[in-house]
mmCIF file of all heavy atoms in Angstrom:
data_model
loop_
_atom_site.group_PDB
_atom_site.id
_atom_site.type_symbol
_atom_site.label_atom_id
_atom_site.label_comp_id
_atom_site.label_asym_id
_atom_site.label_seq_id
_atom_site.Cartn_x
_atom_site.Cartn_y
_atom_site.Cartn_z
ATOM 1 N N ASP G 110 -57.312 114.776 57.645
ATOM 2 C CA ASP G 110 -58.719 115.070 57.338
ATOM 3 C C ASP G 110 -58.936 116.559 57.133
ATOM 4 O O ASP G 110 -59.651 116.978 56.210
ATOM 5 C CB ASP G 110 -59.626 114.559 58.466
ATOM 6 C CG ASP G 110 -59.669 113.032 58.529
ATOM 7 O OD1 ASP G 110 -59.320 112.394 57.508
ATOM 8 O OD2 ASP G 110 -60.031 112.486 59.590
ATOM 9 N N ASP G 111 -58.329 117.380 58.002
ATOM 10 C CA ASP G 111 -58.470 118.832 57.869
ATOM 11 C C ASP G 111 -57.870 119.322 56.551
ATOM 12 O O ASP G 111 -58.454 120.173 55.866
ATOM 13 C CB ASP G 111 -57.780 119.549 59.040
ATOM 14 C CG ASP G 111 -58.504 119.299 60.362
ATOM 15 O OD1 ASP G 111 -59.685 118.900 60.311
ATOM 16 O OD2 ASP G 111 -57.880 119.474 61.421
ATOM 17 N N THR G 112 -56.705 118.789 56.185
ATOM 18 C CA THR G 112 -56.068 119.168 54.926
ATOM 19 C C THR G 112 -56.939 118.788 53.742
ATOM 20 O O THR G 112 -57.103 119.560 52.784
ATOM 21 C CB THR G 112 -54.688 118.490 54.804
ATOM 22 O OG1 THR G 112 -53.891 118.838 55.936
ATOM 23 C CG2 THR G 112 -53.988 118.938 53.542
ATOM 24 N N LEU G 113 -57.529 117.583 53.800
ATOM 25 C CA LEU G 113 -58.404 117.126 52.717
ATOM 26 C C LEU G 113 -59.631 118.023 52.586
ATOM 27 O O LEU G 113 -60.052 118.357 51.470
ATOM 28 C CB LEU G 113 -58.824 115.678 52.980
ATOM 29 C CG LEU G 113 -59.724 115.023 51.926
ATOM 30 C CD1 LEU G 113 -59.020 114.991 50.569
ATOM 31 C CD2 LEU G 113 -60.101 113.604 52.348
ATOM 32 N N LYS G 114 -60.198 118.426 53.731
ATOM 33 C CA LYS G 114 -61.363 119.312 53.689
ATOM 34 C C LYS G 114 -61.015 120.646 53.037
ATOM 35 O O LYS G 114 -61.791 121.182 52.231
ATOM 36 C CB LYS G 114 -61.887 119.552 55.111
ATOM 37 C CG LYS G 114 -62.593 118.344 55.713
ATOM 38 C CD LYS G 114 -63.045 118.638 57.124
ATOM 39 C CE LYS G 114 -63.728 117.425 57.751
ATOM 40 N NZ LYS G 114 -64.136 117.687 59.153
ATOM 41 N N ILE G 115 -59.860 121.202 53.383
ATOM 42 C CA ILE G 115 -59.432 122.481 52.807
ATOM 43 C C ILE G 115 -59.259 122.351 51.296
ATOM 44 O O ILE G 115 -59.683 123.217 50.517
ATOM 45 C CB ILE G 115 -58.128 122.964 53.468
ATOM 46 C CG1 ILE G 115 -58.380 123.303 54.944
ATOM 47 C CG2 ILE G 115 -57.564 124.176 52.734
ATOM 48 C CD1 ILE G 115 -57.125 123.595 55.734
ATOM 49 N N ILE G 116 -58.631 121.238 50.867
ATOM 50 C CA ILE G 116 -58.426 121.012 49.430
ATOM 51 C C ILE G 116 -59.758 120.922 48.702
ATOM 52 O O ILE G 116 -59.950 121.493 47.624
ATOM 53 C CB ILE G 116 -57.588 119.732 49.213
ATOM 54 C CG1 ILE G 116 -56.158 119.949 49.732
ATOM 55 C CG2 ILE G 116 -57.551 119.354 47.733
ATOM 56 C CD1 ILE G 116 -55.312 118.697 49.719
ATOM 57 N N LEU G 117 -60.721 120.183 49.288
ATOM 58 C CA LEU G 117 -62.040 120.031 48.662
ATOM 59 C C LEU G 117 -62.771 121.369 48.576
ATOM 60 O O LEU G 117 -63.444 121.657 47.581
ATOM 61 C CB LEU G 117 -62.881 119.024 49.460
ATOM 62 C CG LEU G 117 -62.420 117.558 49.388
ATOM 63 C CD1 LEU G 117 -63.253 116.693 50.328
ATOM 64 C CD2 LEU G 117 -62.517 117.036 47.960
ATOM 65 N N ILE G 118 -62.637 122.203 49.624
ATOM 66 C CA ILE G 118 -63.282 123.517 49.603
ATOM 67 C C ILE G 118 -62.691 124.394 48.500
ATOM 68 O O ILE G 118 -63.413 125.063 47.749
ATOM 69 C CB ILE G 118 -63.149 124.205 50.982
ATOM 70 C CG1 ILE G 118 -63.995 123.461 52.024
ATOM 71 C CG2 ILE G 118 -63.579 125.668 50.901
ATOM 72 C CD1 ILE G 118 -63.760 123.926 53.437
ATOM 73 N N VAL G 119 -61.357 124.375 48.390
ATOM 74 C CA VAL G 119 -60.690 125.164 47.346
ATOM 75 C C VAL G 119 -61.106 124.693 45.962
ATOM 76 O O VAL G 119 -61.412 125.500 45.069
ATOM 77 C CB VAL G 119 -59.159 125.082 47.525
ATOM 78 C CG1 VAL G 119 -58.458 125.742 46.348
ATOM 79 C CG2 VAL G 119 -58.738 125.749 48.825
ATOM 80 N N LEU G 120 -61.141 123.366 45.764
ATOM 81 C CA LEU G 120 -61.560 122.819 44.466
ATOM 82 C C LEU G 120 -63.005 123.200 44.163
ATOM 83 O O LEU G 120 -63.342 123.532 43.014
ATOM 84 C CB LEU G 120 -61.405 121.289 44.468
ATOM 85 C CG LEU G 120 -59.970 120.760 44.428
ATOM 86 C CD1 LEU G 120 -59.962 119.234 44.555
ATOM 87 C CD2 LEU G 120 -59.278 121.168 43.127
ATOM 88 N N GLY G 121 -63.871 123.135 45.197
ATOM 89 C CA GLY G 121 -65.266 123.520 44.996
ATOM 90 C C GLY G 121 -65.397 124.973 44.570
ATOM 91 O O GLY G 121 -66.191 125.297 43.680
ATOM 92 N N CYS G 122 -64.601 125.843 45.202
ATOM 93 C CA CYS G 122 -64.631 127.263 44.828
ATOM 94 C C CYS G 122 -64.153 127.477 43.391
ATOM 95 O O CYS G 122 -64.734 128.255 42.632
ATOM 96 C CB CYS G 122 -63.776 128.077 45.801
ATOM 97 S SG CYS G 122 -64.439 128.137 47.483
ATOM 98 N N LEU G 123 -63.067 126.764 43.028
ATOM 99 C CA LEU G 123 -62.537 126.899 41.663
ATOM 100 C C LEU G 123 -63.539 126.415 40.630
ATOM 101 O O LEU G 123 -63.687 127.013 39.552
ATOM 102 C CB LEU G 123 -61.226 126.118 41.537
ATOM 103 C CG LEU G 123 -60.029 126.679 42.328
ATOM 104 C CD1 LEU G 123 -58.837 125.740 42.226
ATOM 105 C CD2 LEU G 123 -59.655 128.068 41.826
ATOM 106 N N LEU G 124 -64.229 125.301 40.929
ATOM 107 C CA LEU G 124 -65.224 124.771 39.994
ATOM 108 C C LEU G 124 -66.461 125.667 39.920
ATOM 109 O O LEU G 124 -67.143 125.708 38.885
ATOM 110 C CB LEU G 124 -65.644 123.358 40.416
ATOM 111 C CG LEU G 124 -64.556 122.275 40.293
ATOM 112 C CD1 LEU G 124 -65.042 120.959 40.879
ATOM 113 C CD2 LEU G 124 -64.161 122.088 38.821
ATOM 114 N N ALA G 125 -66.758 126.367 41.014
ATOM 115 C CA ALA G 125 -67.947 127.216 41.044
ATOM 116 C C ALA G 125 -67.735 128.553 40.340
ATOM 117 O O ALA G 125 -68.710 129.202 39.946
ATOM 118 C CB ALA G 125 -68.377 127.472 42.484
ATOM 119 N N ILE G 126 -66.475 128.954 40.163
ATOM 120 C CA ILE G 126 -66.194 130.262 39.556
ATOM 121 C C ILE G 126 -66.768 130.382 38.144
ATOM 122 O O ILE G 126 -67.427 131.382 37.825
ATOM 123 C CB ILE G 126 -64.670 130.537 39.576
ATOM 124 C CG1 ILE G 126 -64.225 130.862 41.007
ATOM 125 C CG2 ILE G 126 -64.308 131.692 38.646
ATOM 126 C CD1 ILE G 126 -62.740 131.025 41.164
#
Side-chain angles (χ1 to χ4, degrees):
D110 291 340
D111 292 341
T112 304
L113 181 60
K114 288 178 181 178
I115 294 172
I116 292 173
L117 291 174
I118 291 171
V119 173
L120 288 175
C122 293
L123 292 174
L124 292 174
I126 287 175

